[in-house]
Amino acid sequence: MLKIRYSPHTFIRHCDGESLIWHRRNYASLILRDAEPFLKSISRDYHDVNQIIVHLANCFGTDPNGIVDDFYDFISPLIENGLAETQGSRETLDPSVSNEGTVASSNNRPSGDENPFADFYLRHNIPRELHIDLTSACTERCVHCYIAEYHSCLEFELIRKALTEFRDLGGMTVYVSGGECMLHPRFGDVLHECRKLDLNMIVLSNLTLCCDETIELLKEVDPHFVKVSLYSMDPGHHDAITRLPGSWHKTMEAFLKLESNGIPLELASPVLKENQYDFADLAAFAEEHHVYLVTNPNIFAKCNHDNLNLEHALSPDEFRRFLEKHYLMLNRTYAERIFHPEERLCDVGTIRLCLNSEGNYYPCDGCHGLILGNVKEHTIREVWNGEPLERLRKLKQKDFPRCLKCVKRSYCKICLAENFSATGDILQIPEGACKYSGVRREFYGKLNADMNKAERSHAAEII
């Protein structure tokens, strides 16, 4: 007897006759057309394939033998990509339904999709990510933090409203954040609600409040991963950044407990003056524990446009020295290119929507004060399709004419959030930002030239 179920890590969304099937661990994704009845015949519990085929035949009003090949054409790529799991073998099936299955034909998938997952959301104009700041309260007071006040807390019923509307649209992943999200009095209820709505969840935390009860909660709800703020392997350096004595030991103890309990983890560490020389040890720790380290030398001004926290950002010279040692860690590539004036500026309004602890929707991290609507007054659909966000989507390279002509343009990313947090104006580049582009142009220009020279030399040796 052959039984089949979806992998616990498989998520499915339907929109306008298309179905997206995505595996959050191996990142396999397929898009099928007119497959919703077949997809809904399988669940996360094992069921006998014969019974599934009979059920489908009854739904279509046809003979079970007439849809066997279609069913196996459908499930073969799911099994092949780890999206579905089986027990038993097909040889044990009833002989009347034992025809050999084949991999689904390309006719079932949109042609030319390099990334079916991303393409599905772009094509249907659906937000695939929702970032929720459950609270602005935090156990730490990090020197680089862009949160201006640490007191507000979003009501659970409003969180549930946002989650439900997001899921109804077809959204996939919820980032549960803060402040420190574990300070929210109904943190566990939020995670359970995400699980109930079949939403993929990512928890962002410093883990200073992570106790045994929280670990059991995380094991139960099974998040995609927990992203942990860790700034150094030197406890003194870490605590100097968080301004919470003993925070390194609390974070590290919780990290190791989560790891031993099988909770997937990532590390996040911005590059600051205080920890710029600590990344070799951080990278070694991440490699030892097989976790991804997210490293970013860019920090935002506070969301009230106070720039004092930028004193902790690297100077251009410090950034140059960091690149020389750790450029591979940044996972960035730059190359000379021509930007067309009509080219979209960035991906704002195409991937995610954010909700702060006061109930205001905003477009992306760092743009807390750029309000698109409020969860009490607007649905996510209204905000996503509303004029404020549409204006941001329409921004193009030509809206920054000075940048369009700049020789450093290929080595920078015009960031609306960085502009807004520092100046209060999305169209105003912060003073000094161009200096970092100059450093990247010098470093990556030389790096690319050296690599091209090495490739030419290798080719000449082959000839």
Side-chain angles (χ1 to χ4, degrees):
M1 178 186 296
L2 179 65
K3 293 184 177 182
I4 190 169
R5 71 171 184 179
Y6 288 123
S7 162
H9 304 296
T10 294
F11 292 80
I12 300 174
R13 298 294 185 263
H14 308 286
C15 188
D16 296 335
E18 284 192 335
S19 299
L20 166 69
I21 311 99
W22 175 67
H23 193 291
R24 69 176 179 185
R25 290 284 179 251
N26 66 22
Y27 295 98
S29 58
L30 296 174
I31 296 177
L32 304 177
R33 292 192 177 94
D34 302 320
E36 191 168 346
F38 281 76
L39 289 165
K40 288 186 175 180
S41 71
I42 302 174
S43 71
R44 287 202 174 101
D45 297 318
Y46 280 113
H47 290 286
D48 178 8
V49 167
N50 277 332
Q51 293 177 357
I52 294 174
I53 291 174
V54 170
H55 169 74
L56 284 169
N58 290 335
C59 291
F60 289 117
T62 187
D63 177 35
N65 289 317
I67 64 169
V68 171
D69 287 341
D70 288 339
F71 184 75
Y72 279 99
D73 284 349
F74 158 68
I75 67 170
S76 292
L78 302 187
I79 297 170
E80 178 185 347
N81 287 281
L83 297 160
E85 302 172 346
T86 59
Q87 281 185 345
S89 64
R90 187 169 178 183
E91 285 70 23
T92 62
L93 285 174
D94 186 297
S96 65
V97 288
S98 61
N99 298 316
E100 191 61 36
T102 58
V103 175
S105 71
S106 59
N107 292 332
N108 290 330
R109 309 177 193 179
S111 60
D113 284 348
E114 294 183 3
N115 187 339
F117 179 86
D119 184 76
F120 177 86
Y121 281 96
L122 290 173
R123 184 167 54 254
H124 295 292
N125 189 27
I126 300 171
R128 71 175 190 246
E129 298 176 358
L130 176 64
H131 177 111
I132 302 183
D133 304 314
L134 304 188
T135 175
S136 64
C138 193
T139 55
E140 299 176 337
R141 293 294 183 270
C142 296
V143 296
H144 62 286
C145 182
Y146 54 67
I147 293 177
E149 298 178 346
Y150 300 88
H151 60 78
S152 57
C153 188
L154 189 57
E155 298 173 27
F156 174 72
E157 290 305 320
L158 296 178
I159 296 171
R160 178 154 59 186
K161 175 180 183 288
L163 291 174
T164 302
E165 292 172 355
F166 177 66
R167 178 62 179 87
D168 288 345
L169 270 181
M172 181 68 75
T173 297
V174 175
Y175 289 77
V176 181
S177 185
E180 172 47 56
C181 59
M182 293 183 186
L183 274 171
H184 194 283
R186 300 191 66 177
F187 171 69
D189 291 334
V190 172
L191 299 192
H192 281 298
E193 191 68 19
C194 290
R195 180 68 181 256
K196 174 184 172 183
L197 292 169
D198 196 33
L199 290 165
N200 182 42
M201 71 189 91
I202 295 171
V203 178
L204 284 65
S205 173
N206 60 39
L207 298 186
T208 55
L209 295 176
C210 187
C211 59
D212 291 343
E213 182 180 352
T214 306
I215 292 173
E216 290 304 312
L217 166 68
L218 292 170
K219 288 169 63 176
E220 181 182 356
V221 299
D222 189 23
H224 190 170
F225 58 85
V226 177
K227 181 176 283 190
V228 183
S229 301
L230 183 68
Y231 304 117
S232 176
M233 293 308 296
D234 183 315
H237 291 183
H238 176 92
D239 291 1
I241 291 171
T242 65
R243 294 189 284 197
L244 177 65
S247 59
W248 185 90
H249 289 285
K250 291 180 179 179
T251 296
M252 186 58 62
E253 180 182 7
F255 177 95
L256 296 175
K257 282 186 176 181
L258 287 170
E259 180 185 47
S260 67
N261 279 274
I263 305 297
L265 298 161
E266 281 193 3
L267 292 175
S269 184
V271 188
L272 308 167
K273 287 183 180 295
E274 290 84 352
N275 67 349
Q276 60 183 299
Y277 301 112
D278 297 348
F279 278 83
D281 290 338
L282 276 169
F285 177 81
E287 183 176 4
E288 177 187 353
H289 292 267
H290 308 289
V291 297
Y292 185 61
L293 173 63
V294 181
T295 305
N296 193 341
N298 300 325
I299 63 173
F300 294 147
K302 288 186 177 293
C303 56
N304 63 355
H305 317 305
D306 180 345
N307 289 271
L308 288 179
N309 64 327
L310 298 184
E311 294 176 355
H312 300 277
L314 299 183
S315 69
D317 286 340
E318 289 170 332
F319 179 46
R320 179 182 292 104
R321 290 194 291 271
F322 185 86
L323 278 178
E324 291 170 351
K325 292 182 179 179
H326 303 301
Y327 77 92
L328 289 174
M329 194 181 299
L330 298 180
N331 195 26
R332 303 279 199 280
T333 57
Y334 296 89
E336 293 285 350
R337 55 163 293 205
I338 302 297
F339 288 81
H340 192 279
E342 296 296 326
E343 184 179 335
R344 183 194 288 272
L345 185 69
C346 66
D347 59 14
V348 65
T350 63
I351 296 175
R352 67 164 42 186
L353 193 62
C354 302
L355 178 63
N356 70 19
S357 56
E358 296 179 343
N360 293 319
Y361 285 107
Y362 60 101
C364 51
D365 297 349
C367 277
H368 288 66
L370 193 58
I371 299 173
L372 305 173
N374 189 279
V375 66
K376 294 181 181 179
E377 304 167 5
H378 307 94
T379 66
I380 281 187
R381 185 184 297 275
E382 290 170 339
V383 174
W384 187 254
N385 296 323
E387 181 58 29
L389 191 52
E390 185 60 27
R391 284 199 302 268
L392 298 180
R393 291 190 188 104
K394 290 179 179 178
L395 287 173
K396 299 181 178 179
Q397 299 292 336
K398 67 181 181 182
D399 292 307
F400 292 83
R402 182 170 64 89
C403 298
L404 193 58
K405 300 176 182 178
C406 180
V407 296
K408 297 178 285 189
R409 180 65 188 93
S410 297
Y411 300 90
C412 74
K413 177 184 178 182
I414 298 174
C415 178
L416 301 182
E418 183 179 6
N419 295 353
F420 185 78
S421 62
T423 70
D425 183 351
I426 59 173
L427 299 179
Q428 183 177 338
I429 305 293
E431 184 179 355
C434 297
K435 294 179 181 178
Y436 297 94
S437 301
V439 172
R440 283 190 289 268
R441 182 176 185 241
E442 177 185 339
F443 177 82
Y444 286 99
K446 182 178 184 301
L447 180 67
N448 292 337
D450 290 345
M451 292 176 63
N452 290 336
K453 182 179 179 180
E455 289 176 0
R456 290 195 300 270
S457 176
H458 179 65
E461 291 176 1
I462 294 176
I463 294 172

